[in-house]
Amino acid sequence: MKITYSIVAPIYNEIENLPELYRRVRDVMDSSGQPWELVLVDDGSTDGSTEKIRELAQADKHVRPIIFARNFGHQVAITAGWDYARGDAVVIIDADLQDPPEVILELAKKWQEGYEVVYAVRSEREGETWFKKTTAALFYRIIYRITDVKIPVDTGDFRLMDRKVVNVLKQMRERHRFPRGMSAWVGFRQIGVPYKRAARTAGVTKYPFRKMLKLAINAITGFSYFPLQVATFFGFVSAGLSILAIPVVAILRLAGSHFFEGQTTTLISVLFLGGVQLISLGILGEYVGRLYDEAKGRPLYIVRDAPEDD
Ligand code: UDP
Ligand code: MG
């Protein structure tokens, strides 16, 4: 059967949210009157979500379970969703119901008007900490400023994409992924729809600060050379300053000043330059490490089981 809407939800230990997610998606999608499927990508859950997903799939053929062999991360789970989705439009949605399934119909309306990427913009966020909101707001703005791609601010992965767009994204197999950046990068006709991001219905966030930081670094390195350019910039600044310092020091010395004698100045400048060099090396390392990962060419994810295509 031809499917119009594929709803993709990455699942990592969301057992409490699964029944409610399924129920709300089903109600909304049934009301659309179009054929749909719910692709549940189990990203190595350990809380019984896997069995719950299988149960849902048994009871309703709309549900397609994709079970990973281990936890590969949110971004990779989304990628598997793109790979397995069969619909003419693919919607990515969080499993914790922070993205209300009812908004899908609004996204679909824009799609029917001819837009190929319809992203949901968070006009309000409920139930999140001050820290999360501030770092997120800062993050989106920094990314907007320093990367080459104009990634819309305050948008997450909640979006609808046309089949054409998904087919392009499926060819982009980079290892360190930032899906919302990738979907901005491809172009096509894009538009935002504002929505109110709800609080998590149950469970805790699977995005501790460490993972947020990793995502931010992936976004920056994946879409810009900015950190490398910063290193170059500091190189020029310190080289420039030292050249300027040569005549100053020479004149002071000839004039009999003892200002630059002693080890303290030497020590400080050696430590300073050493620090700058190590940081630059680290930045370079981030890019080289990513190159190495690409060169290995391992599969992005490993599926333990997935339904046969019917
Ligand atoms: N998620 C995932 N793999 C992970 C971490 C998260 O598939 O390693 C899923 C999670 O189950 C949820 C979505 O990604 O459906 C967003 O995660 P979460 O709600 O914890 O992030 P937050 O909304 O707090 O940023
Ligand atoms: Mg969430």
Side-chain angles (χ1 to χ4, degrees):
M1 189 177 61
K2 211 168 143 29
I3 288 163
T4 310
Y5 297 111
S6 295
I7 316 300
V8 172
I11 313 285
Y12 181 51
N13 295 343
E14 303 282 4
I15 189 154
E16 294 139 301
N17 292 316
L18 272 168
E20 181 73 359
L21 172 76
Y22 163 70
R23 195 186 56 74
R24 277 174 68 183
V25 168
R26 185 195 59 202
D27 289 353
V28 169
M29 295 324 292
D30 278 346
S31 78
S32 78
Q34 300 287 331
W36 59 276
E37 65 178 2
L38 175 61
V39 180
L40 296 176
V41 184
D42 174 39
D43 187 14
S45 297
T46 52
D47 68 341
S49 297
T50 317
E51 289 66 36
K52 188 80 214 164
I53 292 171
R54 288 214 172 94
E55 233 171 75
L56 289 171
Q58 283 267 300
D60 183 348
K61 286 287 157 241
H62 285 111
V63 179
R64 272 164 56 89
I66 314 296
I67 315 289
F68 277 4
R70 64 165 167 87
N71 179 257
F72 281 90
H74 182 200
Q75 284 72 38
V76 176
I78 290 178
T79 311
W82 291 341
D83 292 343
Y84 281 93
R86 299 168 297 177
D88 298 331
V90 178
V91 180
I92 306 290
I93 193 166
D94 275 4
D96 57 359
L97 295 160
Q98 284 197 283
D99 310 327
E102 294 70 29
V103 178
I104 296 174
L105 295 181
E106 289 172 47
L107 304 181
K109 215 158 91 203
K110 288 284 169 203
W111 176 58
Q112 280 150 5
E113 284 172 22
Y115 290 98
E116 288 141 326
V117 176
V118 189
Y119 50 85
V121 186
R122 303 162 174 173
S123 56
E124 266 178 68
R125 299 171 76 126
E126 267 178 8
E128 281 175 310
T129 60
W130 170 88
F131 180 73
K132 175 120 189 177
K133 282 195 233 179
T134 321
T135 45
L138 197 70
F139 164 67
Y140 290 124
R141 277 151 191 86
I142 292 175
I143 300 290
Y144 192 84
R145 285 292 291 275
I146 67 173
T147 62
D148 314 328
V149 203
K150 288 303 156 219
I151 300 163
V153 296
D154 300 330
T155 65
D157 293 306
F158 186 26
R159 59 188 60 222
L160 178 150
M161 284 175 291
D162 187 83
R163 170 55 41 198
K164 281 194 289 255
V165 179
V166 175
N167 285 346
V168 175
L169 289 171
K170 278 166 75 171
Q171 293 168 27
M172 296 164 63
R173 303 313 282 184
E174 62 228 56
R175 231 125 282 272
H176 300 271
R177 306 174 77 81
F178 187 54
R180 43 199 106 149
M182 295 163 69
S183 102
W185 183 84
V186 295
F188 290 98
R189 292 185 64 199
Q190 310 217 354
I191 193 165
V193 170
Y195 80 111
K196 201 166 133 197
R197 189 160 160 92
R200 223 174 204 285
T201 10
V204 291
T205 175
K206 311 297 176 317
Y207 262 91
F209 184 67
R210 180 178 47 83
K211 276 199 198 163
M212 279 168 57
L213 195 67
K214 210 172 132 194
L215 183 67
I217 296 174
N218 280 349
I220 294 169
T221 53
F223 289 92
S224 81
Y225 298 121
F226 183 77
L228 293 173
Q229 288 160 340
V230 170
T232 315
F233 174 78
F234 276 110
F236 274 108
V237 168
S238 63
L241 283 178
S242 6
I243 288 171
L244 287 180
I246 295 170
V248 176
V249 174
I251 290 167
L252 282 175
R253 264 295 168 84
L254 290 174
S257 161
H258 296 283
F259 188 71
F260 284 103
E261 271 175 22
Q263 288 182 354
T264 340
T265 34
T266 324
L267 201 65
I268 288 173
S269 47
V270 165
L271 284 178
F272 175 76
L273 265 186
V276 170
Q277 279 174 349
L278 282 178
I279 292 169
S280 311
L281 204 63
I283 293 173
L284 203 63
E286 283 292 324
Y287 284 87
V288 174
R290 280 166 165 72
L291 265 174
Y292 178 54
D293 283 342
E294 295 296 342
K296 280 190 287 197
R298 290 188 184 161
L300 272 178
Y301 55 84
I302 300 160
V303 169
R304 190 164 51 184
D305 61 80
E308 301 283 318
D309 253 330
D310 38 45

